[in-house]
Amino acid sequence: FPVTIDIWSLTGNEQTIYSLYYQRQQRIDFDRNVLRLGLGVTGLVHSNIKYEIYPLELTYANTGTLSRDFQNLLDRLYDPLLRSNFVSYFNTSLRGTWIRDRLRESAGDYLRIGLESSGNLYGLLGAVGVEGARKDSLWGLPYFRYFKADAEWRQHLQLNREGVLAFRLLGTFGIPLGEQNALPLEKRTFAGGTNSIRAWPVRGLGPGGLSNYATGRLIQFGEIRLESNAEWRFPILGALKGALFVDAGNIWTLNDSSSGGLGNFRWNRFIRQIALSQGAGLRYDFSYFVLRVDFALKFRDPALKDGQEWVVLNWKHIVTGK
């Protein structure tokens, strides 16, 4: 740790983190490369509280040449938010995470809080007169300024020797602060998939009352995410366990002008745009990891027309189209 702060009662195991992250997406219509460098500090306040602080994180994203068909689609849709997903950019950010993990203790709970901001170093560069640090661009590339916060809470209630009720709440909020009027693609949020609302595929839900099969949008991301899960886990045979679960949630945008702003978060309608799924699953506990298989069905789909959202009550109408 760079300094000694005795009042924090740190445990003395603080470590410096040097991180390097690279991701390549190679798709039919475009290629995208993301490189991220980070410098941070991690440590324990005591046995169940951990923190990470990254005072400096640099991200460079580069989108290769778009295919002709894909470029024509972007031009035809005239969707500024969708277009912003495929720009190349350079960004700097400051982020921190606080975690309290007592799932294996009698309290049976977990809490994670994360904060992140971008624009601090950019403002400093502009103040000292670095060429290019003007009008939310840096060295000819777009620069995204934003603030993002997310939190996750879990609670495990022991019913008997092996039966457990597990609850999870998740919230993410990101607000763009600069001229880009959006978060960079890698900082936006999405819903659907095995660790989210399980009846929808990854990035297949939302935003709001929109859907990929309703709008033709290729990627569904947002700035706000609300999600909850409830799961009953019970023993079947030895290490094999079963589960019954219910998922609820959605994502929303803040400044999307397409489709009449139906994907934007509004206090007077966001409850009606909550998606619900239900299902059952199997878990096999190998002690050092758990093999999980889930089967989920849509219970309520906010992208369907009024009167058809409750899929469980209208399955015949939806399947037959009558």
Side-chain angles (χ1 to χ4, degrees):
F1 200 75
V3 294
T4 300
I5 307 178
D6 295 334
I7 60 172
W8 282 8
S9 301
L10 301 178
T11 59
N13 68 341
E14 292 72 41
Q15 295 178 331
T16 301
I17 306 171
Y18 304 96
S19 65
L20 171 64
Y21 169 91
Y22 173 74
Q23 180 189 66
R24 175 174 173 81
Q25 301 176 30
Q26 187 172 11
R27 304 196 177 184
I28 296 175
D29 292 318
F30 68 93
D31 291 346
R32 187 170 177 86
N33 298 273
V34 180
L35 176 65
R36 184 177 301 133
L37 304 174
L39 173 65
V41 175
T42 184
L44 296 175
V45 177
H46 53 71
S47 60
N48 54 39
I49 295 181
K50 175 184 177 181
Y51 68 89
E52 286 186 359
I53 301 174
Y54 280 84
L56 180 61
E57 197 167 63
L58 308 177
T59 302
Y60 171 68
N62 177 269
T63 298
T65 303
L66 306 179
S67 71
R68 180 179 299 178
D69 290 341
F70 187 44
Q71 185 65 61
N72 290 338
L73 177 64
L74 292 178
D75 294 339
R76 186 175 74 252
L77 292 177
Y78 191 68
D79 189 335
L81 198 60
L82 181 61
R83 188 185 297 273
S84 69
N85 290 327
F86 301 100
V87 300
S88 301
Y89 69 89
F90 178 81
N91 240 65
T92 63
S93 62
L94 162 68
R95 67 181 177 91
T97 305
W98 180 89
I99 298 174
R100 185 183 67 190
D101 187 352
R102 302 186 297 187
L103 285 176
R104 292 176 177 82
E105 301 178 10
S106 58
D109 63 358
Y110 171 95
L111 179 62
R112 176 184 58 82
I113 299 174
L115 299 174
E116 180 176 352
S117 69
S118 173
N120 312 79
L121 181 59
Y122 176 83
L124 178 62
L125 291 175
V128 298
V130 172
E131 185 177 355
R134 296 287 190 277
K135 295 184 178 179
D136 284 1
S137 67
L138 192 59
W139 297 303
L141 294 174
Y143 187 95
F144 292 84
R145 292 189 288 131
Y146 60 86
F147 174 78
K148 183 179 179 182
D150 64 273
E152 180 182 7
W153 170 80
R154 304 178 197 172
Q155 181 72 58
H156 290 181
L157 300 178
Q158 201 73 31
L159 299 180
N160 47 47
R161 186 175 179 180
E162 296 187 63
V164 174
L165 273 179
F167 301 95
R168 175 175 173 262
L169 293 175
L170 175 68
T172 299
F173 176 76
I175 179 170
L177 300 174
E179 296 177 0
Q180 304 299 335
N181 206 29
L183 270 65
L185 177 60
E186 285 70 34
K187 297 300 180 179
R188 304 182 74 188
T189 189
F190 61 88
T194 57
N195 296 310
S196 181
I197 313 298
R198 283 166 272 192
W200 276 262
V202 176
R203 296 183 294 276
L205 174 61
L210 300 180
S211 168
N212 57 355
Y213 51 76
T215 66
R217 292 190 114 185
L218 302 179
I219 299 180
Q220 295 165 259
F221 289 94
E223 286 78 42
I224 298 176
R225 178 183 176 187
L226 298 175
E227 191 172 295
S228 64
N229 316 90
E231 186 168 295
W232 173 37
R233 303 168 184 170
F234 51 89
I236 296 179
L237 180 63
L240 180 64
K241 296 178 172 59
L244 298 175
F245 60 83
V246 176
D247 306 321
N250 205 337
I251 62 170
W252 291 267
T253 51
L254 290 175
N255 303 304
D256 190 357
S257 59
S258 65
S259 302
L262 190 59
N264 292 335
F265 183 89
R266 296 290 183 267
W267 287 105
N268 60 350
R269 70 184 183 200
F270 86 95
I271 292 294
R272 302 195 304 271
Q273 294 176 336
I274 296 293
L276 300 174
S277 74
Q278 59 183 343
L282 297 173
R283 286 95 174 88
Y284 195 89
D285 192 348
F286 289 92
S287 296
Y288 48 91
F289 77 95
V290 176
L291 179 65
R292 176 166 63 96
V293 178
D294 287 329
F295 306 89
L297 295 172
K298 295 179 181 179
F299 193 85
R300 186 180 189 278
D301 188 347
L304 297 178
K305 297 178 181 179
D306 291 343
Q308 298 180 14
E309 307 99 320
W310 295 98
V311 181
V312 68
L313 301 178
N314 296 278
W315 67 267
K316 183 176 180 180
H317 174 81
I318 294 170
V319 171
T320 63
K322 299 179 180 179

